[in-house]
Amino acid sequence: MIDMHCHLDLYKDPQKVILQCKEQNFYILSVTTTPKAWHGTKALAQDCERIRTSLGLHPQLAHERYHEVDLFDELISQAKYVGEIGLDGSKEYTQYQDVQTRVFNHILSTVEKSGGRIMSIHSRGAVDLVLDCLANYQDAGIPILHWFTGTKTQLKRAISMGCWFSVGPAMLATEKGKSLVKKMPNDRVLTETDGPFAKLNRKSIMPWDVQKATFQLSEVWQLKPEQTDVVLISNLKNLLRKNM
Ligand code: MN
C-alpha cells in the first residue's frame, strides 16, 4: 500500500506508527510542514527504505515561518522530495496570500535550480494560483496535487500541465471527489491519507487506512482491488523513475 502524503511526525507516537508501517511494508511519503522539522522527521524513518521524507513549508504556516526559506535552501541538496508546499486560499488564510505566494515562488525557484524534485502540493481554494506559479517554474520537477478540490476546468488545466494526484478516503467519500478522480488519468493517481489531519470515523486517519482509498478507487476504476494495487504500484515506480 502507498500513502503518498502523511504527516508521520505529527502523530502522538510516531515510532509506534512507523513500526506498524514497516511491518506491513508500506510505501510512505512522510511530508513536513516546516524546514526545522526536516532532521527530526527524517531520523524517525532512517532505517526504512520505503519511508521517504520530504522537505516542506506548509502554506498555512508561511506567514509565521517565511524566514525558514533560508533553511529550506540549505537543506534542499539533502532532500529528494519536497512537500508539503503550496497555497491555501481558504477564508482564514486569504489575508496571508502575498507572503504565501512569495514563499511558494521562492521554494519553486530553489527546487528548479537544484534540478527538480517530486513535490507534494497543497492547493485548497487556490488551484489557479498554484498552477500559475508552477507554470513559471516548469523545471521544478513533478507536482503531485494532494487532495485536489478544484473544479473540472482547473483539473483539466492541471492534467495538461503534467500534474499527478494523490487521493484519500475523505476525498473519495464525496460525489464531487469521485467525479474528479474519474477524470484524472489513471496512470497519474496515487493514494494518500493526509493523516493525522484528515479524519476517518471522527478519528485521525492512520496510514493503513489508505486501504479504504484503494477500495474506493477500485469502484471508480471498476477494477478488482488487487488490480488497483497493481496500477498504483506501477504508477509509483514510474514516478520514482522520473525523479532525478
Ligand atoms: Mn497535509
Side-chain angles (χ1 to χ4, degrees):
M1 278 188 285
I2 301 162
D3 186 350
M4 208 57 194
H5 184 108
C6 185
H7 300 264
L8 282 179
D9 60 332
L10 301 181
Y11 284 102
K12 261 185 218 134
D13 189 348
Q15 288 296 2
K16 205 173 146 192
V17 178
I18 287 169
L19 194 66
Q20 196 160 337
C21 294
K22 250 164 95 173
E23 278 166 2
Q24 299 186 40
N25 276 329
F26 268 59
Y27 292 98
I28 296 183
L29 187 65
S30 167
V31 297
T32 55
T33 54
T34 77
K36 273 194 183 147
W38 161 255
H39 284 295
T41 308
K42 192 166 185 276
L44 285 173
Q46 55 191 350
D47 55 344
C48 319
E49 173 61 18
R50 294 183 175 195
I51 302 180
R52 308 286 172 90
T53 309
S54 64
L55 175 64
L57 205 169
H58 199 289
Q60 293 175 350
L61 298 176
H63 61 289
E64 291 168 352
R65 303 291 193 126
Y66 57 89
H67 51 274
E68 285 187 46
V69 291
D70 294 334
L71 184 57
F72 186 97
D73 294 353
E74 253 176 75
L75 294 172
I76 187 67
S77 60
Q78 301 176 37
K80 281 191 82 174
Y81 305 85
V82 165
E84 178 166 2
I85 58 168
L87 298 173
D88 189 308
S90 48
K91 251 196 204 149
E92 316 90 278
Y93 296 99
T94 42
Q95 56 181 313
Y96 306 122
Q97 194 181 303
D98 285 354
V99 62
Q100 280 189 28
T101 311
R102 253 185 290 132
V103 166
F104 188 42
N105 281 322
H106 178 108
I107 287 174
L108 290 174
S109 148
T110 298
V111 174
E112 188 174 72
K113 277 185 240 156
S114 312
R117 297 288 190 276
I118 289 169
M119 304 178 285
S120 187
I121 298 180
H122 177 110
S123 60
R124 191 169 75 178
V127 176
D128 282 318
L129 291 173
V130 162
L131 296 178
D132 290 344
C133 293
L134 288 173
N136 290 327
Y137 297 98
Q138 294 194 20
D139 294 323
I142 303 159
I144 306 173
L145 300 184
H146 110 85
W147 201 337
F148 181 87
T149 53
T151 64
K152 291 206 170 136
T153 311
Q154 289 168 330
L155 177 64
K156 257 192 203 158
R157 184 177 170 212
I159 293 168
S160 75
M161 287 175 63
C163 292
W164 285 55
F165 304 90
S166 57
V167 303
M171 175 177 181
L172 284 157
T174 67
E175 283 311 313
K176 186 196 171 195
K178 267 189 270 186
S179 72
L180 286 168
V181 172
K182 254 183 216 152
K183 299 223 178 304
M184 293 171 182
N186 292 17
D187 59 354
R188 280 196 244 158
V189 171
L190 293 163
T191 44
E192 68 161 36
T193 60
D194 201 14
F197 291 121
K199 305 273 184 256
L200 190 66
N201 304 323
R202 291 197 209 126
K203 277 195 251 158
S204 277
I205 194 166
M206 304 305 289
W208 40 92
D209 294 322
V210 85
Q211 189 161 31
K212 190 167 163 70
T214 309
F215 288 136
Q216 290 161 312
L217 263 182
S218 300
E219 275 172 34
V220 174
W221 288 347
Q222 297 183 303
L223 293 176
K224 291 182 185 147
E226 52 276 26
Q227 293 172 313
T228 302
D229 276 326
V230 172
V231 174
L232 291 169
I233 292 288
S234 121
N235 288 354
L236 181 65
K237 287 194 175 148
N238 285 335
L239 178 71
L240 298 183
R241 225 173 277 140
K242 293 175 201 283
N243 210 19
M244 27 264 116

